[in-house]
Amino acid sequence: MSVERIEETVGAGDTGVVAEAGTTTGAGVVAEVEIVTATAAVVTYYPVAPGVRLNVRSGPGTGYSIVRVLPEGSKVAIYCQTPGTTVSGPYGTSNIWDNIASGEFVSDAFVKTGSDGYVASRCAL
């Protein structure tokens, strides 16, 4: 008997089929089919304050090095948030720092989240 495995990669919201099929001698094909549904996390992008070129830092505070600068009109995805240096900006004074990529943080005081508190889970630093 020979066995073949066929897999199809699926994207968010797609349904794919994972099938295993084997042949038996003289009896035809025996097949098992399993339906697999993929779900993906929804990522929300938040605008940076208008007219601001925002420093992106290597950690949650002004004492961390600047790794890049976001241009005016940028939007950022917030993957997690953590407390750090207190900063005043267009959206108030806050000690919340937004993790926008691996090793990249911006002060929440410069990001329009619509909240004075946390809008994402706490980072595991």
Side-chain angles (χ1 to χ4, degrees), residues 7 11 20-22 47 54 73-74 90 114 118-119:
E7 291 191 32
E20 283 190 25
L54 186 58
S74 293
Y118 289 85
V119 297

Side-chain angles (χ1 to χ4, degrees), residues 76-82 96-101 104-109 111 113 119 123:
V76 294
I78 299 174
Y79 296 102
C80 63
Q81 295 176 300
T82 192
I96 298 173
W97 285 75
D98 305 329
N99 175 241
I100 62 168
E104 295 188 358
F105 294 83
V106 296
S107 170
D108 196 62
V111 180
T113 62
V119 297
C123 300

Side-chain angles (χ1 to χ4, degrees), residues 55-67 82-85 96-99 101-107 125:
N55 290 335
V56 178
R57 297 190 176 266
S58 61
T62 55
Y64 289 88
S65 63
I66 297 171
V67 295
T82 192
T85 305
I96 298 173
W97 285 75
D98 305 329
N99 175 241
S102 180
E104 295 188 358
F105 294 83
V106 296
S107 170
L125 291 179

Side-chain angles (χ1 to χ4, degrees), residues 11-86:
D14 292 342
T15 300
V17 175
V18 176
E20 283 190 25
T23 57
T24 59
T25 50
V29 175
V30 177
E32 278 183 43
V33 177
E34 174 187 356
I35 304 298
V36 178
T37 303
T39 57
V42 175
V43 176
T44 302
Y45 286 84
Y46 299 93
V48 171
V52 171
R53 294 179 64 234
L54 186 58
N55 290 335
V56 178
R57 297 190 176 266
S58 61
T62 55
Y64 289 88
S65 63
I66 297 171
V67 295
R68 65 183 173 120
V69 178
L70 296 176
E72 291 182 30
S74 293
K75 291 185 178 185
V76 294
I78 299 174
Y79 296 102
C80 63
Q81 295 176 300
T82 192
T85 305
T86 299

